[in-house]
Amino acid sequence: MQTSCLSAAERDAAAAANALQGARKRAERYGRRRLLTASSPAEPALPPAESSSSPRRLYSPRDRALLIIYTTVAIDMLGSALTVPVMPFLVEALGGDASSLGLLFSTFAVAQIGAGLWMGAASDRLGRRPILLVSLAGSAVGMLGSAQAPTFRALLGWRFLLGAFSGTSATANAYIADITAPSERPKLMSWIGVIASLCFMFGPGVGAGLSELDVRAPFYV
């Protein structure tokens, strides 16, 4: 009886020892697995594959907006630059003199100052792009009216109208500020000055060449 009890206790002790040893082995294997997982470098995530059916965009909406801005400024500046060399001859043909020419340029400049004021405020309320389109339309009307002006007074009025719609620089700068980050604005806004310089660098030469056809020809371009 005593022997059977001892053998049963020995069996229980041996089973407990085996269970403890198995638990230790499992813990060691689990610890080694975690150590290997932590020490192995993570595989870099692959970028999502682009769909072959969707074409890649060459120009973003911001790029298209900048193209519209720069084109508008170029058209506005080039229109004024083309007419610079023929203006004295047109004023003389309409019966004016040197003081009349000075009055013509001053009238345009005063109207242009006012244009920067009203176009900036209107673009805040109505949007940048509509005001740029209105500016182009007003400049086109002013150029056509100047080309067909029969008297100096009529030319003076048309030049005032042209100047009143020539304040595109303020609206263009505001438009660029709306669609670009602060770090990009100095570079992108400086292109407006570059465009203006290029227009007045080549515009008078082109206008002088067009004047060989007719003194009013640059206004139609």
Side-chain angles (χ1 to χ4, degrees), residues 24-37:
R24 286 177 178 175
K25 290 181 179 180
R26 288 193 296 272
E28 290 176 358
R29 289 197 298 269
Y30 179 71
R32 286 197 297 270
R33 190 182 303 117
R34 291 191 61 184
L35 181 61
L36 291 174
T37 305

Side-chain angles (χ1 to χ4, degrees), residues 35-53:
L35 181 61
L36 291 174
T37 305
S39 61
S40 60
E43 296 182 358
L46 296 176
E50 294 184 359
S51 175
S52 59
S53 59

Side-chain angles (χ1 to χ4, degrees), residues 4 22 64 96 116 148 170 181:
S4 63
R64 290 193 292 269
Q148 299 175 3

Side-chain angles (χ1 to χ4, degrees), residues 74-92 101 104-105 108 112 139-148 155 158-159 162-163 166 199-211 214-221:
I75 293 173
D76 186 21
M77 297 296 179
L78 190 60
S80 298
L82 287 172
T83 60
V84 168
V86 301
M87 199 63 69
F89 303 100
L90 181 59
V91 171
E92 185 180 5
L101 181 63
L104 192 68
F105 281 112
F108 177 84
Q112 196 172 31
S139 297
V141 172
M143 292 293 285
L144 291 176
S146 300
Q148 299 175 3
L155 179 63
W158 286 115
R159 294 298 291 179
L162 179 62
S166 297
C199 289
F200 279 93
M201 183 185 300
F202 298 103
V206 176
L210 292 172
S211 66
D214 187 84
V215 71
R216 299 175 185 261
F219 292 94
Y220 292 103
V221 177

Side-chain angles (χ1 to χ4, degrees), residues 70 73 77 169 173 188-199:
Y70 293 144
V73 173
M77 297 296 179
S169 297
N173 284 324
L188 296 175
M189 289 180 178
S190 65
W191 277 104
I192 294 180
V194 172
I195 291 172
S197 299
L198 290 174
C199 289

